[in-house]
Amino acid sequence: MLLRAEARGLPTFWLDIVVKRDGKLKDLDRLLRRTWVECCGHLSEFSTGTHRKVSMNTKVSEALGPGDRLGYVYDFGSSTELVVRLLGGVNAPSKSTIRLAARNEAPTWPCDACRKAATAVCPQCLYEGKGFCCATHATDHDCGEDILLPVVNSPRMGVCGYTGEA
Ligand SMILES: [Zn+2]
Ligand SMILES: [Zn+2]
Ligand SMILES: [Zn+2]
């Protein structure tokens, strides 16, 4: 099965995932954590369109049919929310139960001060949609350089202690 995972409200960030029919949601959870969201072992959960929780032991093929949307929340404090849907079937023999097939190219974010590509982001300013710093301007950011987090290709950029793929 070919799945598309997207950040809720942020379609810039997407992953295409190939999973075997007997793959489980916990396999998908593991891949999403590894690729996109894991910072410090928060709880995560899948839910149906009607917000009913779906067990991690459910097979992906049972949880997701054509037209369905599966919600995913990582961290119930500073949540990262994703939506997963079925794109179709693929004939792709593979040893692994689940693997990443494609993903969005890393977006670039301009530094607030000089518009050069940012390398760091401030988790406090990010709430207001700003806080991007290039290497030069990171050193004189108002909130302090110590709290800055790296710019990474993930919807969890700048949240909690997220620093990218482990
Ligand atoms: Zn965390
Ligand atoms: Zn700059
Ligand atoms: Zn700041």
Coordinates of all heavy atoms in Angstrom, one line a residue, residues 122-126 130-131 141-144 147-148, ligand 3:
C122 N 13.9 30.0 16.3 CA 13.6 30.3 17.7 C 12.3 29.7 18.1 O 11.3 30.1 17.5 CB 13.7 31.8 18.0 SG 13.1 32.2 19.7
P123 N 12.2 28.7 19.0 CA 10.9 28.1 19.3 C 9.9 29.1 19.9 O 8.7 28.9 19.7 CB 11.2 27.0 20.3 CG 12.7 27.2 20.7 CD 13.3 28.1 19.7
Q124 N 10.4 30.2 20.5 CA 9.4 31.2 21.1 C 8.8 32.0 20.0 O 7.6 32.2 19.9 CB 10.1 32.0 22.1 CG 10.3 31.2 23.5 CD 11.1 32.0 24.5 OE1 11.3 33.2 24.4 NE2 11.6 31.3 25.4
C125 N 9.7 32.5 19.1 CA 9.2 33.4 18.1 C 8.4 32.7 17.0 O 7.6 33.3 16.3 CB 10.4 34.1 17.4 SG 11.3 35.2 18.5
L126 N 8.7 31.4 16.9 CA 8.0 30.6 15.8 C 6.5 30.6 16.0 O 5.8 30.5 15.0 CB 8.6 29.2 15.8 CG 8.1 28.3 14.7 CD1 8.6 28.8 13.3 CD2 8.7 26.9 14.8
K130 N 7.7 33.8 13.2 CA 9.0 34.4 12.9 C 10.1 33.7 13.7 O 9.8 32.6 14.3 CB 9.1 35.9 13.1 CG 8.5 36.3 14.4 CD 8.3 37.8 14.4 CE 7.8 38.4 15.7 NZ 8.8 38.4 16.8
G131 N 11.3 34.2 13.7 CA 12.3 33.6 14.6 C 13.3 32.8 13.7 O 14.1 32.1 14.3
H141 N 20.3 36.9 18.2 CA 18.8 36.8 18.4 C 18.4 37.3 19.8 O 19.0 36.9 20.8 CB 18.4 35.4 18.1 CG 16.9 35.3 18.1 ND1 16.1 35.8 17.2 CD2 16.1 34.7 19.1 CE1 14.8 35.5 17.5 NE2 14.8 34.9 18.7
D142 N 17.3 38.0 19.8 CA 16.9 38.6 21.1 C 16.6 37.6 22.2 O 16.8 37.9 23.4 CB 15.6 39.4 20.9 CG 15.8 40.8 20.2 OD1 17.0 41.2 20.2 OD2 14.9 41.3 19.7
C143 N 16.1 36.5 21.9 CA 15.7 35.5 22.9 C 17.0 34.7 23.4 O 16.9 33.9 24.3 CB 14.7 34.5 22.4 SG 13.3 35.3 21.7
G144 N 18.1 34.9 22.7 CA 19.3 34.2 23.1 C 19.6 33.1 22.2 O 18.7 32.4 21.7
I147 N 18.6 29.0 23.0 CA 17.4 28.3 22.9 C 17.0 27.9 21.4 O 16.1 27.3 21.1 CB 16.2 29.1 23.5 CG1 15.9 30.3 22.7 CG2 16.5 29.4 24.9 CD1 14.4 30.8 22.9
L148 N 17.9 28.4 20.5 CA 17.6 28.2 19.0 C 17.7 26.7 18.7 O 18.5 25.9 19.3 CB 18.6 29.0 18.2 CG 18.5 30.5 18.3 CD1 19.5 31.1 17.3 CD2 17.1 31.0 18.1
Ligands
ZN3 ZN 13.1 34.4 19.6

